[in-house]
């Protein structure tokens, strides 16, 4: 029928289970092209990018493979004819043969562009607007360094993880399966020095009761075939189901084969699982927090473990873990998102926490009293733009009143997490531990919070 009417036959190749990656690319009117950010999907092809966990920079490609995607992206943006501005180019890679196909090319700023902007500190939409009126990349200053131009490609010395948030419980009868149709209602982003630290921070930033990579008790009971069926079908529970699969004794290779998730990611999650099991073994052998060495505690913190996560595994109070950290000066330091991996000085305090020795929090003080603003976190059903609006206007009003506003939020979709909205931005989970760590450093005279009525709707 199609041949008789249209004179052609359409054959499509399935790419289900392939690796999915995307590059944010910009071009100016003088044919200068820069790669802003490479983003890798944790989930395979078959899951909408908006519903997939994504990681930047790309973790599982060799340098040769990455350079191939860079070269292809530059050819594509020129061939399509994007004279100025940004584009998002998505690739599929066969996990065994390495064959590369182009999945999609968006010749505009997209939702992924917003994430790439927050991940790198590179204001894609702002620079695209300037390119549209005739500026070139080498004429536009980098707001963060003030010494480099927009033609300098961002360099990341950290790992960014984005995790979507779902509200399937609000839609009774809807099957909680992830497909090519986007179903998430919001997302959270976290930054760490390693993938393990980053994903653990993102998981507790979801505000779904997770303290990091862990299981969910109501889904912990499953037989041999149920676990394999769950792993084979992408769902909002895929992270906690992987934890449950480890508990059930399913191997890394089998989890990777069933889920089509790259073994590198599964291996990293397994290492977190084994660290937690090591804590439980201490407890089962009649030992406690006092038997955990200072070095081991510090290592767990570098891998994104929260105090509550450690306390639950050892069967002690969260306050006991905090006390041990305080006594041994195990405290987070704050690093800057500066687009250049600290090669140049940064003038925009866009911060994230990690457990290293050197802090990059500016020591200069304006002398103004500080007020901390706690954002709304990931979007929820029933929550509108008023949460972001309130945060932004609170920051602007505080400036007018002579205060120094400090923004704390974990939502990359908001204006409140733009680096120039507040005097200091902390991209951190909105948990008690993370917020108190920031308060200890900044010592604000007050805190502005939002009534979370939407969580009750």
């Amino acid at each position: 029928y199609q041949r008789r009417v249209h004179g052609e036959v359409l054959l499509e190749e399935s790419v289900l289970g392939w690796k999915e990656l995307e590059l944010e690319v910009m071009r100016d009117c003088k044919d200068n092209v820069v790669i802003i950010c490479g983003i890798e999907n944790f989930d395979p092809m078959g899951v909408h990018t908006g519903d997939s966990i994504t990681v930047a920079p790309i973790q599982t490609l060799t340098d040769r493979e990455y350079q191939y995607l860079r070269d292809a992206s530059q050819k594509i943006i020129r061939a399509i004819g994007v004279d100025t501005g940004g584009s998002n180019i998505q690739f599929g890679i066969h996990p065994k043969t390495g064959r590369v196909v182009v999945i999609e090319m968006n010749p505009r700023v997209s939702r992924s562009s917003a994430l790439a902007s927050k991940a790198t500190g590179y204001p894609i939409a702002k620079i695209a607007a300037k390119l549209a009126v005739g500026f070139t990349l080498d004429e536009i200053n980098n707001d963060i360094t003030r010494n480099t131009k927009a033609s300098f490609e961002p360099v990341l010395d950290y790992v960014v993880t984005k995790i979507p948030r779902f509200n399937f419980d609000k839609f009774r009868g809807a099957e909680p399966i992830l497909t090519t149709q986007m179903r998430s209602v919001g997302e959270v982003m976290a930054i760490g020095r390693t993938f393990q630290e980053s994903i653990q921070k993102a998981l507790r930033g979801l505000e779904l009761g997770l303290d990091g990579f862990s299981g969910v008790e109501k889904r912990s009971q499953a037989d041999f075939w149920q676990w394999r069926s769950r792993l084979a079908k992408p769902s909002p529970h895929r992270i906690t189901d992987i934890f449950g699969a480890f508990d059930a004794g399913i191997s890394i290779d089998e989890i990777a084969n069933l889920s089509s998730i790259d073994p590198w990611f599964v291996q990293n999650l397994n290492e977190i699982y084994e660290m937690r099991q090591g804590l439980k073994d201490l407890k089962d052998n009649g030992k406690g927090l006092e038997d955990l060495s200072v070095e081991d505690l510090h290592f767990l913190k570098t891998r994104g473990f929260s105090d509550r996560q450690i306390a639950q595994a050892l069967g002690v109070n969260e306050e006991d873990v905090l006390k041990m950290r305080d006594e041994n000066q195990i405290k987070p330091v704050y690093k800057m998102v500066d687009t250049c991996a600290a090669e140049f000085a940064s003038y925009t305090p866009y911060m994230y926490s990690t457990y290293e020795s050197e802090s990059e929090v500016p020591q200069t003080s304006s002398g103004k009293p500080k007020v901390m603003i706690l954002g709304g976190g990931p979007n929820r059903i029933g929550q509108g733009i008023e949460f972001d609006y309130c945060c932004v206007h609170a920051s602007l009003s505080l400036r007018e009143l002579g205060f120094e506003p400090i923004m704390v939020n974990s939502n990359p979709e908001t204006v409140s997490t733009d680096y120039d909205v507040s005097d200091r931005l902390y991209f951190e989970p909105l948990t008690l531990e993370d917020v108190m760590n920031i308060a200890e450093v900044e010592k604000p005279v007050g805190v502005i919070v939002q009534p979370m009525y939407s969580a009750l709707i």
Side-chain angles (χ1 to χ4, degrees):
Y1 173 80
Q2 283 187 336
R3 183 174 179 83
R4 185 169 66 249
V5 175
H6 302 291
E8 63 182 26
V9 175
L10 175 64
L11 294 177
E12 294 185 340
E13 179 184 9
S14 172
V15 291
L16 286 174
W18 289 32
K19 294 169 66 169
E20 184 174 0
L21 309 100
E22 53 190 301
L23 270 66
E24 290 293 326
V25 191
M26 297 204 79
R27 185 188 185 203
D28 66 19
C29 59
K30 290 186 177 179
D31 197 30
N32 297 308
V33 179
V34 292
I35 309 299
I36 307 305
C37 185
I39 302 173
E40 180 170 4
N41 286 22
F42 175 91
D43 299 283
M45 290 292 303
V47 176
H48 191 286
T49 304
D51 286 348
S52 176
I53 297 170
T54 57
V55 182
I58 293 170
Q59 301 291 302
T60 67
L61 296 186
T62 65
D63 182 63
R64 181 186 294 270
E65 291 170 326
Y66 177 66
Q67 294 303 323
Y68 179 84
L69 296 188
R70 279 179 54 89
D71 293 343
S73 298
Q74 293 176 1
K75 292 177 181 177
I76 290 168
I77 196 171
R78 288 174 175 137
I80 295 296
V82 179
D83 291 335
T84 68
S87 294
N88 169 263
I89 304 172
Q90 299 175 18
F91 296 93
I93 300 181
H94 193 285
K96 290 186 172 62
T97 66
R99 179 178 162 225
V100 178
V101 296
V102 180
I103 301 300
E104 183 178 331
M105 193 279 189
N106 296 305
R108 55 177 170 76
V109 174
S110 66
R111 181 180 55 257
S112 297
S113 304
L115 177 66
S117 288
K118 299 297 171 69
T120 61
Y122 191 101
I124 293 175
K126 179 179 180 180
I127 291 175
K130 290 186 176 183
L131 295 178
V133 296
F135 284 94
T136 57
L137 289 164
D138 57 340
E139 294 174 336
I140 303 172
N141 288 326
N142 183 322
D143 292 340
I144 291 182
T145 65
R146 300 180 187 172
N147 291 316
T148 59
K149 301 295 183 179
S151 53
F152 278 63
E153 293 186 355
V155 180
L156 279 62
D157 57 354
Y158 50 83
V159 178
V160 175
T161 301
K162 178 267 295 185
I163 302 182
R165 180 186 169 109
F166 301 89
N167 276 130
F168 278 100
D169 55 319
K170 302 292 185 182
F171 302 95
R172 294 174 183 173
E175 188 178 13
I177 298 296
L178 305 184
T179 64
T180 54
Q181 183 179 18
M182 183 174 169
R183 297 186 173 188
S184 63
V185 299
E187 61 191 32
V188 63
M189 188 185 98
I191 309 174
R193 294 298 252 190
T194 64
F195 168 72
Q196 292 173 341
E197 181 180 32
S198 178
I199 195 168
Q200 293 235 78
K201 289 173 69 177
L203 285 167
R204 63 178 184 261
L206 282 173
E207 300 176 16
L208 292 173
L210 297 174
D211 298 312
F213 180 53
S214 58
V216 177
E217 188 171 348
K218 66 180 181 181
R219 291 180 65 86
S220 62
Q221 301 302 318
D223 61 26
F224 179 92
W225 294 112
Q226 284 175 324
W227 279 123
R228 284 153 181 79
S229 175
R230 289 179 183 178
L231 292 170
K233 295 179 181 179
S235 80
H237 311 290
R238 57 202 181 283
I239 280 285
T240 54
D241 282 347
I242 289 174
F243 184 95
F246 288 144
D247 256 349
I250 301 177
S251 69
I252 294 171
D253 289 341
E254 189 170 4
I255 291 172
N257 289 333
L258 288 166
S259 64
S260 296
I261 295 171
D262 192 281
W264 186 89
F265 290 118
V266 182
Q267 174 66 45
N268 272 266
L269 292 176
N270 181 256
E271 289 175 7
I272 298 174
Y273 173 82
E274 292 297 338
M275 293 175 208
R276 186 177 181 276
Q277 290 303 108
L279 294 174
K280 291 190 70 176
D281 289 343
L282 277 178
K283 175 187 173 184
D284 294 342
N285 291 326
K287 298 181 180 180
L289 183 62
E290 63 278 3
D291 299 295
L292 183 68
S293 70
V294 174
E295 292 77 15
D296 286 343
L297 178 58
H298 182 267
F299 181 77
L300 290 170
K301 299 302 289 185
T302 66
R303 292 300 180 265
F305 278 79
S306 64
D307 288 351
R308 180 177 295 180
Q309 200 176 0
I310 296 170
Q312 288 178 344
L314 288 172
V316 299
N317 294 323
E318 183 180 355
E319 293 76 13
D320 296 331
V321 180
L322 174 60
K323 182 180 178 182
M324 181 176 176
R325 284 203 299 111
D326 286 343
E327 290 174 349
N328 294 280
Q329 294 299 303
I330 302 175
K331 299 178 182 292
V333 297
Y334 293 90
K335 300 289 186 179
M336 281 191 181
V337 174
D338 56 12
T339 75
C340 62
E343 184 176 353
F344 300 95
S346 174
Y347 296 91
T348 303
Y350 173 9
M351 320 298 297
Y352 67 95
S353 69
T354 190
Y355 281 80
E356 293 185 356
S357 56
E358 182 182 0
S359 177
E360 296 176 1
V361 175
Q363 297 303 310
T364 56
S365 174
S366 63
K368 300 176 183 178
K370 301 174 183 178
V371 175
M372 184 186 295
I373 304 169
L374 302 185
N379 292 342
R380 301 161 171 81
I381 291 290
Q383 172 181 317
I385 196 173
E386 69 274 7
F387 280 80
D388 193 31
Y389 182 92
C390 290
C391 284
V392 173
H393 281 267
S395 181
L396 299 178
S397 298
L398 285 169
R399 279 178 175 170
E400 291 180 4
L401 293 170
F403 291 92
E404 185 176 325
I406 299 168
M407 187 72 66
V408 184
N409 205 354
S410 58
N411 190 337
E413 300 175 299
T414 60
V415 178
S416 62
T417 48
D418 286 355
Y419 61 78
D420 54 357
V421 166
S422 51
D423 286 12
R424 291 190 185 179
L425 167 63
Y426 286 87
F427 224 110
E428 291 290 295
L430 294 165
T431 68
L432 178 62
E433 176 185 341
D434 295 291
V435 171
M436 291 304 295
N437 285 336
I438 298 168
E440 186 175 343
V441 172
E442 294 291 355
K443 298 178 172 55
V445 297
V447 179
I448 295 178
V449 299
Q450 300 180 62
M452 298 303 293
Y453 66 85
S454 67
L456 304 176
I457 294 177

